[in-house]
């Protein structure tokens, strides 16, 4: 068995185990393969194992891979910061934008989504720990942005995405996840079609699943350590 196949099977079964430990339904949690810095051929290998969802952070790099893998039925998620000058390509080539955090960007994605494509799936990125360095809306800004997105025909609001601060203890980390889950439930009670809480990466995936994540974004545990670009 190849290294990557082993990693894929390990991560997949660890997600199933975490679901079961948390008394959650099997397949309640989706795996987003975060493929930034890895070449298209590596993604092709992972796709051949059955993985369809890929997350990319850097637009140019992502466009090259989307093009190189156009023969496969993949679902592309944009998970990097969205500047206005990137919205046209994101709206044209991606299936999801998980990092929407302002009205201007939402409006541009809506206006630039090609008419023949289904609505672009979007998550609102929440700056859950109020970090100066991070993008994302504050808790108070979720509601007005969600209402605005609901009005756009070429966007489909699916939920929330969070990148928590690095906490030095599990209790603080769990507390962040708990707050995110409450925000997600509150959004669900107000809007139709909310089914995604994108939370958890390689290091904190288990805890995130325990606290209600529906999509874990996994890079390192699947592809190995990134060398080319650190973030
Ligand atoms: C890189 C990245 C990930 C994956 O992180 P790993 O620790 O390698 O699993 C997940 N989410 C975002 C937004 C990222 O930028």
């Amino acid at each position: 068995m190849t290294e990557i196949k082993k990693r894929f099977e390990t991560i997949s079964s660890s997600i199933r185990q975490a679901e079961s430990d948390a008394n959650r339904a099997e397949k309640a949690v989706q795996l987003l393969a975060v493929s930034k810095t890895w070449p298209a051929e590596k993604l092709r290998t992972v796709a051949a194992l059955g993985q369809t969802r890929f997350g990319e952070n850097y637009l140019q790099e992502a466009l090259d891979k989307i093009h190189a893998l156009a023969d496969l039925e993949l679902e592309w998620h944009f998970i990097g910061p969205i500047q206005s000058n990137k919205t046209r390509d994101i709206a044209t080539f991606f299936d999801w934008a998980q990092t929407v955090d302002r009205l201007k960007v939402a409006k541009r994605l809506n206006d630039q989504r090609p008419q023949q494509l289904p609505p672009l799936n979007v998550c609102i990125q929440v700056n859950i720990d109020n970090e100066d360095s991070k993008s994302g809306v504050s808790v108070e800004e979720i509601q007005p942005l969600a209402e605005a997105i609901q009005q756009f025909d070429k966007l489909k609001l699916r939920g929330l995405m969070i990148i928590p601060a690095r906490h030095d203890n599990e209790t603080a980390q769990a507390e962040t996840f708990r707050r995110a889950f409450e925000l997600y439930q509150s959004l669900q009670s107000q809007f139709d079609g909310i089914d995604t809480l994108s939370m958890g990466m390689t290091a904190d995936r288990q805890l995130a699943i325990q606290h209600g994540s529906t999509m874990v974004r996994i890079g390192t545990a699947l592809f190995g350590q990134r060398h080319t670009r650190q973030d």
Side-chain angles (χ1 to χ4, degrees):
M1 198 163 34
T2 61
E3 189 65 31
I4 194 122
K5 181 155 193 248
K6 255 184 258 169
R7 287 213 199 88
F8 180 71
E9 291 187 355
T10 303
I11 185 77
S12 303
S13 65
S14 85
I15 292 171
R16 299 289 88 86
Q17 185 64 49
E19 287 169 342
S20 132
D21 291 347
N23 289 314
R24 300 188 54 198
E26 191 177 337
K27 308 254 164 89
V29 182
Q30 298 178 332
L31 168 62
L32 181 71
V34 175
S35 42
K36 61 179 171 225
T37 78
W38 297 104
E41 285 318 301
K42 198 94 161 181
L43 280 66
R44 188 178 286 282
T45 305
V46 173
L49 301 170
Q51 178 65 24
T52 53
R53 294 182 189 87
F54 289 86
E56 288 281 341
N57 297 58
Y58 309 111
L59 185 60
Q60 194 50 55
E61 180 196 326
L63 295 176
D64 292 344
K65 288 182 233 182
I66 292 172
H67 182 69
L69 301 172
D71 58 311
L72 303 176
E73 290 266 329
L74 302 178
E75 187 180 280
W76 295 97
H77 293 235
F78 193 78
I79 59 169
I82 307 179
Q83 288 91 35
S84 294
N85 65 356
K86 295 186 190 169
T87 53
R88 184 173 299 280
D89 282 332
I90 294 171
T92 306
F93 296 105
F94 282 78
D95 303 291
W96 287 66
Q98 292 205 7
T99 43
V100 173
D101 66 356
R102 45 191 205 281
L103 181 57
K104 182 182 175 196
V105 159
K107 180 167 190 334
R108 289 174 67 94
L109 289 170
N110 178 69
D111 295 349
Q112 294 169 340
R113 180 71 168 171
Q115 276 311 317
Q116 74 278 13
L117 294 182
L120 180 69
N121 297 290
V122 308
C123 289
I124 295 175
Q125 184 181 353
V126 183
N127 187 354
I128 190 80
D129 289 313
N130 278 313
E131 295 172 279
D132 290 340
S133 60
K134 280 228 176 93
S135 24
V137 299
S138 65
V139 168
E140 299 71 40
E141 290 165 328
I142 297 173
Q143 172 82 23
L145 184 54
E147 278 170 13
I149 291 171
Q150 282 298 91
Q151 304 303 314
F152 291 135
D153 335 325
K154 296 304 287 179
L155 301 183
K156 186 168 179 191
L157 182 63
R158 299 294 293 269
L160 302 176
M161 183 269 203
I162 67 148
I163 308 174
R166 228 174 244 293
H167 295 290
D168 47 15
N169 69 80
E170 201 173 290
T171 315
Q173 190 86 42
E175 184 47 38
T176 295
F177 288 154
R178 228 186 316 275
R179 281 189 291 119
F181 185 64
E182 278 175 19
L183 295 170
Y184 170 63
Q185 284 183 308
S186 147
L187 197 69
Q188 253 180 342
S189 71
Q190 300 169 75
F191 299 94
D192 287 336
I194 304 298
D195 58 6
T196 304
L197 177 58
S198 172
M199 130 175 138
M201 317 201 323
T202 290
D204 56 11
R205 62 186 192 266
Q206 236 135 347
L207 201 62
I209 292 171
Q210 204 179 316
H211 289 90
S213 166
T214 71
M215 190 183 291
V216 287
R217 307 181 307 265
I218 306 294
T220 310
L222 180 55
F223 292 99
Q225 201 67 48
R226 289 181 289 276
H227 296 295
T228 31
R229 213 155 168 175
Q230 292 303 326
D231 58 339

